[in-house]
Amino acid sequence: MHTLWKLFKVGLALAIAIPLGLIVLATTMGILGALFGLAVLVLKLAVIGLIGYGVFRLVRGMFAPAPKPPVRPALTESPPVDPYYAAAMRELDSELRR
């Protein structure tokens, strides 16, 4: 009788655990399938974006005017020196020479 009771408990546990396990497995596969689908969608969008960028660069290279070299500004005279600053530097030099 003891063995029969133990077999009944094991059968009852399996009768509850197997359907729950199948439900959990199906849910997990659904979540993983959704994530895999999103990954494939993002990959497709990335490829389409790269193709579009390549077409844009090709069209721009064919039809856009050639870029002009940067123009360097002509050298101009430096701004006038502040007379007070020059006097302060002379005074500092005279103090340091002592």
Side-chain angles (χ1 to χ4, degrees):
M1 189 67 176
H2 186 63
T3 306
L4 191 59
W5 176 245
K6 203 169 249 207
L7 282 174
F8 176 73
K9 287 194 298 187
V10 168
L12 185 63
L14 288 176
I16 294 172
I18 289 175
L20 285 179
L22 290 175
I23 291 170
V24 169
L25 183 64
T27 304
T28 303
M29 291 308 239
I31 291 170
L32 289 177
L35 289 175
F36 181 73
L38 285 174
V40 169
L41 178 68
V42 167
L43 185 63
K44 285 181 182 180
L45 288 175
V47 169
I48 290 171
L50 283 173
I51 290 171
Y53 181 70
V55 169
F56 169 74
R57 292 287 301 215
L58 180 68
V59 170
R60 191 178 113 197
M62 290 172 60
F63 297 115
K68 295 182 173 85
V71 178
R72 290 188 173 187
L75 294 177
T76 60
E77 292 183 21
S78 59
V81 178
D82 183 18
Y84 295 107
Y85 177 77
M89 289 303 289
R90 281 193 305 272
E91 185 179 344
L92 183 62
D93 284 341
S94 67
E95 289 289 328
L96 291 176
R97 286 189 188 138
R98 291 185 190 168

